[in-house]
């Protein structure tokens, strides 16, 4: 299995960047927030806050974010979060923006993200970020 991790990481690398060393692993982390309204500015503001908070809580370079899969509830339609994430510094990432599966218990105007990040083996665990009422999505996590 250890032989697969460097291959996976080199596959995740984009552009002309060098492949990571054998000391790196791909780590997944979750983020979520809500927007105050369905507007391009509100979506950009929410994503920017999410990106900045993620980096403030975790010792990680923006270039280490390799993949960001965003989902949005059905009531967010005016802009995709990828553009705001690029503007906030995730210029090395590959993005995918999807519609969240609707349920009766959806939080209004909710954005979620699943990130794949390059991380050194043995580094401190990345902290998930849940903002603006999304903490209720994961009552099992400690949001100190």
């Amino acid at each position: 299995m250890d032989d697969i991790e460097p291959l996976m990481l080199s596959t995740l690398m984009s552009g002309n960047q060098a492949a990571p060393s054998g000391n790196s692993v791909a780590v997944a982390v979750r983020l979520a927030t809500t927007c105050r309204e369905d507007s391009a500015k509100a979506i950009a503001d929410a994503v920017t806050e999410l990106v900045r908070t993620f980096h403030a809580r975790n010792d990680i370079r923006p270039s280490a974010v390799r993949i960001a899969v965003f989902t949005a509830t059905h009531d967010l339609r005016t802009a995709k979060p990828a553009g705001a994430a690029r503007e906030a510094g995730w210029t090395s990432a590959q993005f995918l923006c999807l519609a969240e599966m609707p349920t009766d218990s959806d939080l209004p105007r909710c954005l979620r993200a699943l990130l794949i990040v390059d991380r050194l083996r043995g580094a401190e665990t990345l902290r998930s970020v849940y903002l603006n009422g999304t903490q209720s999505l994961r009552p099992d996590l400690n949001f100190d």
Side-chain angles (χ1 to χ4, degrees), residues 31 48 68 76 87-88 109 142:
L31 315 176
T48 299
L76 290 176
E87 289 292 318
R109 298 174 308 280
N142 181 11

Side-chain angles (χ1 to χ4, degrees), residues 39-49 51-52 68-70 78-98 111:
S39 70
K41 181 172 180 1
I43 292 169
D45 289 348
V47 171
T48 299
E49 178 187 28
V51 169
R52 288 181 179 159
V69 178
F70 283 99
T78 59
K80 294 181 181 178
R86 279 188 200 93
E87 289 292 318
W90 291 351
T91 57
S92 299
Q94 299 297 310
F95 294 95
L96 186 60
C97 298
L98 304 168
L111 290 172

Side-chain angles (χ1 to χ4, degrees), residues 92-140:
S92 299
Q94 299 297 310
F95 294 95
L96 186 60
C97 298
L98 304 168
E100 184 77 27
M101 184 183 91
T103 65
D104 293 338
S105 60
D106 282 344
L107 286 178
R109 298 174 308 280
C110 184
L111 290 172
R112 299 182 199 206
L114 171 64
L115 306 182
I116 304 296
V117 178
D118 286 342
R119 196 77 170 137
L120 291 176
R121 287 185 193 275
E124 198 171 307
T125 302
L126 293 176
R127 295 178 60 203
S128 297
V129 176
Y130 287 76
L131 303 175
N132 303 316
T134 60
Q135 297 87 342
S136 65
L137 297 171
R138 291 300 307 270
D140 56 315

Side-chain angles (χ1 to χ4, degrees), residues 6-7 9-11 13-22 24 66 118:
L7 177 60
L9 281 173
S10 65
T11 301
M13 301 302 285
S14 62
N16 58 5
Q17 299 175 7
S21 71
S24 295
R66 293 293 172 200
D118 286 342

Side-chain angles (χ1 to χ4, degrees), residues 43-67:
I43 292 169
D45 289 348
V47 171
T48 299
E49 178 187 28
L50 199 58
V51 169
R52 288 181 179 159
T53 303
F54 172 71
H55 289 288
R57 292 185 184 172
N58 293 283
D59 179 26
I60 197 85
R61 303 172 325 279
S63 63
V65 177
R66 293 293 172 200
I67 297 172

